[in-house]
């Protein structure tokens, strides 16, 4: 069912009930963006929202601009990643986030906080933008700058896909992991070759 007619939207897929995802800040940042782009939606796919999320949404007057959808199988997420304007990650703490890697693989640029994981994957201005942690003004500003240049955003979609194929594809990651293991455990790998 989803959104029905094609509506521009930002996408967030994660366990939004985890306080480290900082959904409250994302909602406040989106209120700033929505003032300039009233047709834009913010779509959450995953957990149902907390009452406090709904309270911030209502305090910001966002109403129907914020859409909460239930969890979807990974294959059903792909069309959302491909149709969204941006993937937004507002976390205060994050490891290697599968959701923003999936976004990149689907050609979706990411706006994320500098919260641990994104810094190792997002290339500033090429595959997305990184902003200070818990800074709603900076977060909104990055989204607004991205939306203001559709041609650049379109080019970044290609950058994201190419980057994911080059750096994040399974064979590439396996080889990097094996190389690291060989470096840390050289004796084990010598013994394996000798057998």
């Amino acid at each position: 069912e989803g959104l029905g007619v094609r509506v521009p939207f930002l996408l967030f897929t994660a366990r939004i009930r985890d306080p480290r995802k900082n959904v409250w800040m994302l909602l406040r940042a989106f209120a700033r963006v929505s003032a300039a782009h009233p047709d834009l939606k913010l779509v959450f796919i995953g957990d149902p929202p907390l009452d406090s999320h709904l309270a911030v949404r209502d305090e910001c007057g966002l109403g129907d601009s914020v859409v909460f959808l239930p969890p979807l199988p990974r294959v059903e997420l792909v069309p959302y990643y491909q149709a969204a304007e941006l993937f937004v990650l507002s976390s205060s703490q994050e490891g290697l986030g599968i959701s923003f890697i999936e976004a990149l693989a689907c050609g979706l640029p990411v706006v994320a906080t500098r919260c641990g994981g994104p810094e190792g994957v997002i290339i500033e201005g090429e595959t997305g933008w990184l902003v200070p942690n818990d800074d709603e003004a900076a977060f909104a500003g990055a989204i607004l700058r991205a939306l203001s240049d559709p041609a650049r955003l379109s080019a970044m979609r290609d950058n994201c896909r190419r980057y994911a194929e080059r750096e994040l594809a399974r064979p590439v990651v396996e080889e990097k992991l094996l190389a690291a293991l060989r470096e840390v455990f050289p004796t084990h790998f010598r013994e394996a070759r000798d057998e």
Side-chain angles (χ1 to χ4, degrees):
E1 197 177 294
L3 293 172
V5 270
R6 173 70 176 102
V7 179
F9 67 97
L10 308 178
L11 181 63
F12 182 96
T13 62
R15 298 176 322 276
I16 68 169
R17 297 174 80 88
D18 181 337
R20 293 173 296 180
K21 300 303 178 187
N22 204 3
V23 169
W24 306 278
M25 185 278 283
L26 176 55
L27 289 164
R28 289 191 300 272
F30 180 66
R32 294 171 181 242
V33 173
S34 187
H37 295 272
D39 58 332
L40 189 69
K41 304 278 187 195
L42 174 58
V43 175
F44 291 91
I45 300 177
D47 304 332
L50 295 170
D51 289 343
S52 58
H53 296 148
L54 298 176
V56 171
R57 177 200 63 189
D58 295 344
E59 285 165 21
C60 291
L62 293 170
D64 294 339
S65 293
V66 177
V67 178
F68 293 97
L69 298 177
L72 295 172
R74 188 161 278 135
V75 69
E76 291 181 31
L77 286 173
V78 171
Y80 286 92
Y81 284 125
Q82 292 173 330
E85 303 298 316
L86 293 163
F87 186 82
V88 288
L89 184 77
S90 52
S91 298
S92 56
Q93 177 189 5
E94 192 75 52
L96 183 60
I98 298 301
S99 59
F100 61 82
I101 289 174
E102 289 174 344
L104 293 175
C106 290
L108 181 59
V110 177
V111 173
T113 51
R114 293 182 179 278
C115 59
E119 295 93 319
V121 178
I122 305 303
I123 301 170
E124 185 73 30
E126 288 185 39
T127 61
W129 296 267
L130 296 164
V131 300
N133 219 334
D134 203 29
D135 186 336
E136 70 187 69
F139 204 90
I143 293 169
L144 289 167
R145 281 190 304 281
L147 295 176
S148 73
D149 192 345
R152 181 176 186 199
L153 205 49
S154 179
M156 287 179 73
R157 289 180 178 278
D158 292 333
N159 292 346
C160 292
R161 278 188 291 271
R162 283 195 300 272
Y163 175 78
E165 289 169 3
R166 188 179 69 243
E167 299 292 333
L168 304 171
R170 183 177 180 151
V172 175
V173 173
E174 284 175 352
E175 186 49 47
K176 287 180 183 178
L177 182 57
L178 276 173
L181 290 171
R182 283 187 198 104
E183 187 177 320
V184 174
F185 302 108
T187 308
H188 172 76
F189 283 92
R190 266 198 304 277
E191 290 168 0
R193 276 197 308 269
D194 294 340
E195 289 176 2

